[in-house]
């Protein structure tokens, strides 16, 4: 069974920074992508950022130029560096791993609260 464990969430002031981490473990092969989705209160889950096995990146327009996604293939980890945080960034952030065979795995989520 594949397990994704997120860490790094918490309370941060507007304009501040936070780094999220996600480490994957278990039995899996051929990672297609890893990334971060987020769900704000009362809203649908949306893709924030993802990184493909090719190294290509994909960001939501709302986070572009503020967030940076990266990965460590040895550790099977993905990170999200968040800068210039806004109130609208408040959400539960979920780590995602997508295998080339179509299997999709999710972490339990970590809460990021941006508030003054």
């Amino acid at each position: 069974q594949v397990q994704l464990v997120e860490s790094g969430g918490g309370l941060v002031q507007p304009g501040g920074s936070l780094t999220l981490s996600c480490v994957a473990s278990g039995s899996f092969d051929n990672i297609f992508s890893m990334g971060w989705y987020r769900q704000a209160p009362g809203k649908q889950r949306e893709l924030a950022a993802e990184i493909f096995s090719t190294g290509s990146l994909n960001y939501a327009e709302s986070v572009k130029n503020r967030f940076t996604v990266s990965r460590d293939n040895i550790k099977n980890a993905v990170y999200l560096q968040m800068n210039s945080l806004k109130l609208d960034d408040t959400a539960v952030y979920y780590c995602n791993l997508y295998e080339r065979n179509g299997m999709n795995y999710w972490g339990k989520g970590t809460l990021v609260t941006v508030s003054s």
Side-chain angles (χ1 to χ4, degrees):
Q1 185 82 332
V2 175
Q3 184 177 14
L4 304 179
V5 180
E6 303 107 329
S7 62
L11 176 65
V12 63
Q13 294 182 338
S17 299
L18 208 60
T19 300
L20 305 182
S21 299
C22 172
V23 179
S25 62
S27 180
F28 60 89
D29 292 301
N30 300 317
I31 295 175
F32 178 73
S33 67
M34 294 186 73
W36 295 91
Y37 288 72
R38 66 184 186 179
Q39 186 167 19
K43 298 183 179 179
Q44 298 291 327
R45 184 177 62 184
E46 66 174 0
L47 174 68
E50 63 183 340
I51 182 167
F52 297 88
S53 60
T54 60
S56 296
L57 307 173
N58 187 31
Y59 294 98
E61 286 295 322
S62 58
V63 310
K64 196 171 295 183
N65 300 317
R66 298 188 299 117
F67 291 10
T68 302
V69 64
S70 61
R71 60 176 165 83
D72 185 328
N73 290 336
I74 302 300
K75 298 179 179 179
N76 289 319
V78 63
Y79 309 95
L80 187 66
Q81 176 65 49
M82 304 182 291
N83 301 126
S84 302
L85 283 162
K86 304 175 180 179
L87 296 179
D88 288 346
D89 294 320
T90 295
V92 176
Y93 285 72
Y94 297 93
C95 180
N96 169 259
L97 186 154
Y98 200 96
E99 285 190 299
R100 197 169 64 188
N101 62 12
M103 294 296 293
N104 203 13
Y105 305 95
W106 297 92
K108 294 182 178 179
T110 184
L111 177 63
V112 173
T113 302
V114 184
S115 176
S116 60

